[in-house]
């Protein structure tokens, strides 16, 4: 059986948290892939000749042979089913309820907490930029993040569900929007985000971003 040809399309700056999530997923699976970029600032994703134009015109875009898929959480779920354990590493918990919870966390991080995402964009994380104090809306969003994350991590373990899962990388990134800006973050959550950030797959992405930013 021939190996699939996998391509991941990223933003040219490597600042997208959603591309990072897919990049980490591919690294954790141990799947060889080619990384290509599209310059969003120049509108290259809106040009008809780009592969992702007919999908959603967004990154990340994953190509596996002739199949094209966008939206990071959909990609992670596809990868976990297409390249399933035990041959490949698991991205989501084996337990049904924990797996559902991990997907819930991912959906929440992508659809809520907009003030944090706006006021602490990923150039804080990957470009070392410092932002001014949070607005009232930003503070409220941070308090919501802290409360929810504290409940999720009340068990005191370094990962959400015992074994690492892709939702750990996504949650850590959201917390690090604040940690790496120097905002006040509960120590337990800051420690969790710092621990997750040292994972080899995440550090490979951080290195890509730093190289491009430099």
């Amino acid at each position: 059986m021939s190996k699939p040809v996998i391509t991941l399309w990223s933003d040219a700056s490597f600042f997208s948290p959603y591309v990072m999530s897919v990049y980490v997923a591919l690294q954790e699976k141990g799947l060889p892939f080619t990384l290509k970029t599209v310059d969003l600032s120049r509108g290259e994703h809106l040009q008809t000749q780009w592969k992702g134009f007919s999908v959603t015109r967004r990154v990340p875009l994953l190509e596996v042979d002739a199949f094209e898929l966008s939206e990071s959480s959909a990609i992670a779920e596809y990868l976990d089913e297409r390249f399933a354990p035990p041959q490949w590493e698991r991205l989501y918990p084996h337990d049904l309820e924990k797996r559902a919870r991990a997907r819930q966390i991912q959906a929440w991080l992508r659809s809520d907490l907009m003030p944090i995402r706006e006021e602490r964009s990923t150039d804080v994380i990957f470009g070392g930029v410092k932002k001014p104090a949070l607005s009232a809306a930003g503070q409220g969003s941070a308090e919501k993040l802290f409360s929810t994350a504290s409940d999720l991590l009340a068990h005191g373990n370094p990962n959400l569900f015992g074994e690492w899962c892709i939702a750990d990388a996504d949650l850590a990134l959201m917390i690090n929007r604040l940690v790496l800006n120097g905002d006040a973050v509960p120590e337990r959550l800051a420690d969790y985000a710092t621990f997750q950030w040292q994972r080899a797959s995440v550090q490979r992405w951080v290195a890509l971003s730093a190289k491009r930013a430099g």
Side-chain angles (χ1 to χ4, degrees):
M1 183 176 179
S2 61
K3 293 183 178 179
V5 177
I6 302 175
T7 301
L8 172 61
W9 286 89
S10 169
D11 60 305
S13 63
F14 300 120
F15 277 17
S16 168
Y18 311 116
V19 178
M20 187 198 94
S21 186
V22 175
Y23 179 93
V24 167
L26 288 165
Q27 291 280 336
E28 293 289 340
K29 284 286 186 186
L31 293 167
F33 64 96
T34 300
L35 184 63
K36 295 184 179 181
T37 62
V38 57
D39 194 330
L40 306 185
S41 66
R42 297 175 59 185
E44 290 180 357
H45 58 303
L46 302 177
Q47 298 175 11
T48 56
Q49 65 267 31
W50 181 54
K51 284 276 189 177
F53 182 84
S54 62
V55 185
T56 59
R57 307 178 193 183
R58 285 152 52 111
V59 294
L61 176 75
L62 184 76
E63 295 178 71
V64 180
D65 295 329
F67 179 64
E68 298 167 0
L69 183 66
S70 65
E71 302 304 321
S72 57
S73 55
I75 293 171
E77 292 178 32
Y78 166 75
L79 289 172
D80 222 25
E81 293 180 19
R82 171 76 185 267
F83 305 99
Q87 185 174 354
W88 287 278
E89 293 297 319
R90 190 182 298 278
L91 296 177
Y92 289 94
H94 175 74
D95 177 80
L96 177 63
E97 280 73 28
K98 290 180 179 179
R99 189 162 66 250
R101 184 73 69 201
R103 289 168 173 165
Q104 173 196 313
I105 292 167
Q106 287 187 295
W108 172 61
L109 293 170
R110 286 157 171 74
S111 62
D112 201 351
L113 308 174
M114 182 58 75
I116 294 178
R117 289 187 279 152
E118 289 180 343
E119 298 178 33
R120 297 292 180 266
S121 55
T122 53
D123 55 359
V124 168
I125 298 176
F126 303 123
V129 174
K130 299 299 181 184
K131 304 285 187 177
L134 289 168
S135 66
Q139 292 172 0
S141 193
E143 289 169 6
K144 183 177 184 180
L145 171 64
F146 298 158
S147 176
T148 303
S150 294
D151 286 345
L152 290 168
L153 295 165
H155 48 62
N157 296 325
N159 300 315
L160 283 164
F161 305 108
E163 295 291 330
W164 178 91
C165 78
I166 191 63
D168 281 302
D170 292 342
L171 180 58
L173 186 144
M174 183 63 75
I175 296 171
N176 269 335
R177 290 176 185 267
L178 300 165
V179 171
L180 296 177
N181 192 69
D183 298 300
V185 176
E187 183 177 4
R188 183 174 58 171
L189 299 185
D191 289 346
Y192 163 80
T194 300
F195 174 78
Q196 296 297 331
W197 219 242
Q198 297 311 308
R199 197 166 182 90
S201 56
V202 175
Q203 281 298 301
R204 291 187 188 106
W205 176 261
V206 171
L208 280 174
S209 300
K211 184 177 179 180
R212 186 57 59 95

